[in-house]
Amino acid sequence: MKDGPDIAHIAALIGDPARANMLTALMGGMALTATELSAEAGVTKQTASSHLSKLEAGGLLTIRKQGRHRYYQLADTDVAELLESLMGVAMRAGHVRTRPGPKDPAMRHARVCYDHLAGDMGIRLYESLLKRGHLNEQAGEPALTVAGRDFVTGLGLRLDALEGTRRPLCKACLDWSERRTHLAGSLGAALLDHMYASGWAKRKPDSREVVFTKSGQQAFERSFGEG
Amino acid sequence: MKDGPDIAHIAALIGDPARANMLTALMGGMALTATELSAEAGVTKQTASSHLSKLEAGGLLTIRKQGRHRYYQLADTDVAELLESLMGVAMRAGHVRTRPGPKDPAMRHARVCYDHLAGDMGIRLYESLLKRGHLNEQAGEPALTVAGRDFVTGLGLRLDALEGTRRPLCKACLDWSERRTHLAGSLGAALLDHMYASGWAKRKPDSREVVFTKSGQQAFERSFGEG
DNA sequence: TCCTTGTTTCGATTAGGATCGAACTATGAA
DNA sequence: TTCATAGTTCGATCCTAATCGAAACAAGGA
């Protein structure tokens, strides 16, 4: 017997296709019910129930009871980052399951990645921040510059609150659909919240899609457009 | 069928106890032969051979043939970080396999964690850098301060070379034996190399243990001791 | 109260894969 | 050449865990 953390146990939990599909679905950040997750995974409710209780026992999911529904969500951002890390390694190793149907253009345009913006819009956001000198990359990881601190404060965000947590402020997240980087971390989450709050965009129900209003798109261009 | 990276496949690869043990052993950073790995995993050579070819096909390991030996090592630092990430989640979820035998004090004192220093000495190194103002923690992730840049340059390290890679310069790595943080990233690796090169310490063969010489210990205290 | 919907438990089936013994290949040493 | 060591391939066995049907349980709503 070896000592140390039992990585085999939780890797095995993620290693089942049905469970991996559920976890991937929960990367959308929204809490989902057992029935919804069974559909995502393509198994019956009974099977899903068994999987979900294992994931919960393993500490990967948390349950929130509400009426007769049980809402499941990822236990914390560490789990989300673990899944991202897995996706990154799987990507580079060439293990992509290519979907046979037509790729959904709306999803590629703007979708949510756990709690921050991904897809084409997410990449444009990231590159704009870089180009305008609000962000710079130090050895692979993004960091907010002094000018960047002024900028996000100007948007009305409370930097001290964002930095108070254990979670990194800025984090690079690999976008598998575009194979480019977008912004995660507490700042990435706060920026998406800002867009919701300002009425620029909203979540499409039952989907990871993010739809921008016409005026929201224009406001996005002003703040995060080219050059 | 879902699209996206096939995380279930590579998670399943890590999810087998025998394979997880092999990967954990390779976190020592040293390339190991198939026979050594079979002993680490506690299986026969035949079984190990089958596991190793799967890990190699999955892109988690690379092989280097040398004479009649085949040396295996982790494919890259992304894989090492994925395993660290897994250990972190497994730790917090309380999945620790407590070893029945006595804990090896030498391993707790100083050992290698993939390519950087861990154990008690690793933690002292990290805390000294913090205390002396060479490092500060920004929202959970360590960053080198201006004074810190001078300090490591003074040690003879080439900062530009360290920052040239995709790998982050500074990274927090959770030490499961102490439940504290030590320094990973390209700087963490460079500092350990510096200690080897300066004759402060060397790797004990066939072990993750790092043994400091008497004068090396003194030099460590001067550079990274209290206050 | 009865009915509907969401979820879990039980039992039985089945399939995938981990395991090892034995035989086989490859490389180096004597 | 012959021997020894490192590693793989093959075949058979065995066991775990995924799966689903059916039934039980829980929680609204009528």
Side-chain angles (χ1 to χ4, degrees):
Chain A
M1 283 296 108
K2 311 286 287 188
D3 55 338
D6 190 358
I7 65 170
H9 179 217
I10 74 156
L13 283 176
I14 310 175
D16 178 80
R19 287 193 292 257
N21 283 341
M22 293 178 177
L23 291 168
T24 307
L26 288 170
M27 282 286 285
M30 225 166 38
L32 299 174
T33 68
T35 309
E36 287 168 331
L37 286 168
S38 73
E40 286 284 345
V43 294
T44 62
K45 298 174 199 185
Q46 306 93 295
T47 310
S49 173
S50 143
H51 285 312
L52 288 169
S53 58
K54 281 173 194 169
L55 288 171
E56 202 261 333
L60 296 177
L61 298 185
T62 53
I63 311 186
R64 213 178 32 193
K65 290 192 182 184
Q66 211 167 92
R68 54 181 164 180
H69 292 279
R70 322 193 81 176
Y71 286 96
Y72 289 89
Q73 57 187 30
L74 298 185
D76 52 35
T77 56
D78 283 356
V79 176
E81 281 170 25
L82 168 60
L83 294 174
E84 273 176 20
S85 196
L86 263 169
M87 289 185 189
V89 171
M91 272 293 300
R92 273 193 317 85
H95 299 292
V96 262
R97 298 177 292 181
T98 42
R99 129 172 77 175
K103 322 233 177 215
D104 187 339
M107 282 280 278
R108 298 183 78 97
H109 180 247
R111 68 172 182 280
V112 80
C113 173
Y114 192 53
D115 60 1
H116 52 271
L117 188 64
D120 188 43
M121 295 291 278
I123 290 167
R124 286 175 58 191
L125 169 63
Y126 186 73
E127 311 226 314
S128 157
L129 289 171
L130 276 181
K131 195 166 178 183
R132 296 187 179 203
H134 297 152
L135 221 55
N136 66 358
E137 283 182 332
Q138 289 183 357
E141 283 298 316
L144 203 56
T145 62
V146 176
R149 299 181 73 86
D150 291 342
F151 175 70
V152 300
T153 307
L155 288 176
L157 304 184
R158 297 287 309 272
L159 258 181
D160 50 352
L162 295 180
E163 285 179 323
T165 66
R166 215 174 54 75
R167 187 176 182 199
L169 182 66
C170 299
K171 206 168 175 316
C173 181
L174 184 65
D175 198 309
W176 50 258
S177 70
E178 307 293 334
R179 308 204 178 198
R180 305 268 286 283
T181 298
H182 61 247
L183 184 66
S186 60
L187 179 60
L191 284 174
L192 181 58
D193 282 340
H194 174 71
M195 294 178 197
Y196 291 152
S198 310
W200 295 8
K202 58 171 183 257
R203 272 293 281 282
K204 191 167 175 183
D206 302 327
S207 160
R208 293 173 62 177
E209 232 173 274
V210 173
V211 280
F212 278 77
T213 64
K214 191 161 182 185
S215 61
Q217 184 78 38
Q218 289 166 353
F220 182 95
E221 299 296 343
R222 265 195 304 283
S223 292
F224 307 110
E226 300 295 327
Chain B
M1 284 294 107
K2 310 286 287 188
D3 54 337
D6 189 359
I7 66 170
H9 179 216
I10 74 157
L13 284 177
I14 310 176
D16 177 80
R19 287 193 291 260
N21 283 340
M22 293 177 177
L23 291 169
T24 307
L26 288 171
M27 282 287 283
M30 225 167 39
L32 299 174
T33 66
T35 309
E36 288 168 330
L37 286 168
S38 72
E40 286 284 344
V43 294
T44 61
K45 297 178 202 182
Q46 306 91 296
T47 311
S49 174
S50 145
H51 285 312
L52 288 169
S53 57
K54 280 172 195 169
L55 287 171
E56 202 261 335
L60 296 178
L61 298 184
T62 53
I63 311 185
R64 213 178 31 191
K65 289 192 181 185
Q66 210 168 89
R68 54 179 162 178
H69 292 279
R70 320 193 85 178
Y71 286 95
Y72 289 88
Q73 57 187 27
L74 299 185
D76 52 36
T77 57
D78 283 356
V79 176
E81 282 169 24
L82 168 60
L83 294 174
E84 272 175 21
S85 197
L86 264 169
M87 289 185 189
V89 172
M91 271 293 299
R92 273 192 318 85
H95 299 293
V96 262
R97 299 177 292 182
T98 43
R99 129 172 77 175
K103 321 232 175 216
D104 187 339
M107 282 281 277
R108 298 183 77 96
H109 180 246
R111 68 172 182 280
V112 81
C113 174
Y114 192 53
D115 59 3
H116 52 270
L117 188 63
D120 187 45
M121 294 291 277
I123 290 166
R124 286 176 58 192
L125 169 62
Y126 185 71
E127 311 228 313
S128 157
L129 289 172
L130 276 181
K131 194 166 180 181
R132 297 186 179 205
H134 296 151
L135 221 55
N136 66 358
E137 283 182 332
Q138 290 183 357
E141 282 298 316
L144 204 57
T145 62
V146 176
R149 300 182 72 87
D150 291 342
F151 175 71
V152 300
T153 307
L155 287 176
L157 304 185
R158 296 287 308 273
L159 259 180
D160 51 350
L162 295 180
E163 285 180 321
T165 65
R166 213 174 53 77
R167 189 177 182 198
L169 181 64
C170 299
K171 206 169 174 315
C173 181
L174 184 66
D175 198 310
W176 50 259
S177 70
E178 308 292 335
R179 306 204 179 197
R180 304 268 287 283
T181 297
H182 60 247
L183 183 67
S186 59
L187 179 59
L191 284 175
L192 182 58
D193 281 342
H194 174 71
M195 294 179 197
Y196 291 151
S198 310
W200 294 7
K202 58 173 184 255
R203 272 292 282 281
K204 190 167 174 183
D206 301 329
S207 160
R208 293 172 64 176
E209 231 174 275
V210 174
V211 281
F212 278 77
T213 64
K214 191 163 182 184
S215 62
Q217 184 78 38
Q218 289 167 353
F220 181 95
E221 298 299 341
R222 265 196 303 283
S223 292
F224 307 110
E226 299 296 326

